[in-house]
Structures are given as C-alpha cells and as structure tokens.
Amino acid sequence: MATLKQVVDVLETLYPLRYAEEWDEPGLIVGDLRHEVSNIAFAADPSMAVIDEAIVNHVDLLICHHPLFFRSVHAVSGLGFRGEIVRKLNEAGCALWVGHTNADASYRGVGQAAADMFGVEDQRPLVPIDDAKAEHAIGLGRVGRLSEPMPLRDFARRVADALPYTELGVQVCGELDAPVRTVAVLPGSGDSLFDEVRAAGVDVYVTSDLRHHPVTDAIEQARYEASMRAQGVCIGQGDDQVRPAFINTPHSAIESMWFQYAMGDVPRAVAEATGDIPAVRWISMNTDPWNLVLPSSGQER
C-alpha cells in the first residue's frame, strides 16, 4: 500500500509547489509520512463538516483546494476551530494536503478544468509561469475562444449550468446580447487581474468575488471606449463592442470543478508510481458560506 510520503510526492509532481504565489503555503498540513493511504477524499474547503465526513468515511488523506491556514498562526489549541480540526485529523489518522495557487496554475489544474468545462478552446495561461521543466503551458487563469460565438446571456447560462450548485448563483455585467467569442477564466478572487484581462482583449471574464467599485469602473471605461470607437476615435482595443463583460461565480463552486480531473489524475499517478490504486471520493457538500439569497424588496426611492 502506498505511504503518505509517496502520495505527497505524486501530488507535488502533478501540482508543483513552486507554482504557488509567494504569499501562499500549500502542501502537507497534517499527517504522518509513514502512514499508509488507501482512501483519498477531495473537498473545496477543510471545514469542520468536511473533516467530520472524511473521518466517518475512514479517509486516510483529505485533499483540499483552500488552505486551513491562510496566515501565520502561533497555536493550534482547542481555543479555536483550526486547532480542533488539527486534533480531529491527528486523532483519526487522516492527513490533510492543500493544493491552492499551485493547483490553480498547473496543467489540468483549477484554471484549465473550469475553462475546459465552459467550452473554452485553444487555451493559454492568463498569467504565464516560465518553467523549463513543464511540458505544457502553465500559469494562473486561462484565455481562449469558443468554438462558435454566442450571446453573453447564453454563455452565462452555460457557465451556470456547468458549476456545482450553490445558493448564490452567478451574476452578469455587460451587454447581454453581445456576442462572446473569446473568454478569460480565473477561478477564485479575480479583480486584481483586470489589467491582464484588458490586455488579452477578451469579450468576457469569468471569475469570483467581484466587488462593486472595480467592476463599475471597468464597465464604465469599456462603455466609454466603445462609444468613442463608434465615433471613429481610436481608444482602447477592437471594435465598438463593450468588452470585457463580467461573469461572477461562487468561489468554492468554480474551484471545485478541478476535482473532475483530479479524481482521475491522482489515483492514476499514484498507481503508476507505487503500483497501488487508492479509492477516491469527492466530498461535494457546498462549502460556499451563503445559504440563503433573497431578492431586494424593490422599495422606491
């Protein structure tokens, strides 16, 4: 049976830690490298409910996208939920490995998985990483085209239909009848990369956690530039279409699409490296924090 050390080596070959952002600390968070691994589970977040389900199902290794520790900590005591999670994992002999921004950037990682499932073809990274050891183009996000153009409202429906269910759904900003030919996708919080998206010249940007002011500023600038181009004044890029439009997705949902690849890639790679094939499962409970969305009252001002 494969050891945790052997499985971690496989994971960090598929999703190299060197691809992680400087502020990120993915990798093995909890676990004894000598323990055997026969049962692996995947989940978006190492929440208490996810941990409890993993333990009930005798999982040896839990692979999550989001870290248990985003920032430095000085204690894992029973005074906080993170300490309790570490205690439960250790007591049950369940390891925790995190593939965060390293998995975002990897081949068949988080960004590529989402773009593939939205029908994006001829992909390249939005923010490339130069790695001489890589056999494929890697980096944060993906940029590509659709096989056939479609209205923004129809592409937004495609995105919504491809995502795992959450209460939050998707939000769309843009001209709903405008044709979508080119797409940028960045699973996770994406409004820090607006400059890269504009430089890519795409028709729509699919990401998460979009805030009011950055999106309002971006769409107003795009509308202004399009109106000027329509009057023959060359500002910005392209024709008189307003671009990019924006599709805002639930954070955990778009990043969970990665597991549709990892559920096959990880056991296959473990089998090739060790001769053992671990059982895998996806703990697909919704870990998005919002559990009720209500329309506003429509009160007149």
Side-chain angles (χ1 to χ4, degrees), residues 152 156-157 159-160 163 166-174 176 204-211 215 245-251 288 290 293:
L152 174 60
R157 172 51 59 191
V159 169
L163 289 167
T166 73
E167 290 289 341
L168 191 59
V170 304
Q171 295 81 46
V172 184
C173 171
L176 298 180
V204 64
Y205 181 33
V206 185
T207 187
S208 300
D209 298 342
L210 291 177
R211 295 171 295 161
V215 173
F246 300 91
I247 297 178
N248 191 36
T249 69
H251 191 122
D288 188 277
W290 313 112
V293 176

Side-chain angles (χ1 to χ4, degrees), residues 86-197:
V86 171
R87 183 195 69 78
K88 285 186 173 186
L89 290 170
N90 278 322
E91 189 174 87
C94 178
L96 171 64
W97 185 89
V98 168
H100 194 215
T101 55
N102 57 311
D104 286 336
S106 296
Y107 174 66
R108 288 178 64 83
V110 182
Q112 183 182 344
D116 284 350
M117 292 164 204
F118 298 151
V120 180
E121 302 178 350
D122 297 332
Q123 296 176 27
R124 67 183 190 276
L126 176 62
V127 183
I129 292 176
D130 185 12
D131 184 0
K133 298 180 180 179
E135 298 179 2
H136 304 88
I138 49 89
L140 290 178
R142 307 299 287 180
V143 176
R145 62 173 182 83
L146 302 182
S147 60
E148 297 289 341
M150 63 176 62
L152 174 60
R153 68 174 74 247
D154 293 346
F155 180 68
R157 172 51 59 191
R158 173 185 287 186
V159 169
D161 288 346
L163 289 167
Y165 175 80
T166 73
E167 290 289 341
L168 191 59
V170 304
Q171 295 81 46
V172 184
C173 171
E175 311 305 313
L176 298 180
D177 294 321
V180 172
R181 302 175 183 86
T182 55
V183 180
V185 179
L186 182 79
S189 301
D191 61 15
S192 64
L193 294 180
F194 278 7
D195 288 344
E196 289 81 356
V197 171

Side-chain angles (χ1 to χ4, degrees), residues 48-67:
M48 195 71 75
V50 166
I51 299 301
D52 289 342
E53 182 164 331
I55 291 171
V56 165
N57 286 284
H58 307 289
V59 168
D60 303 309
L61 171 61
L62 177 63
I63 297 173
C64 287
H65 180 56
H66 288 137

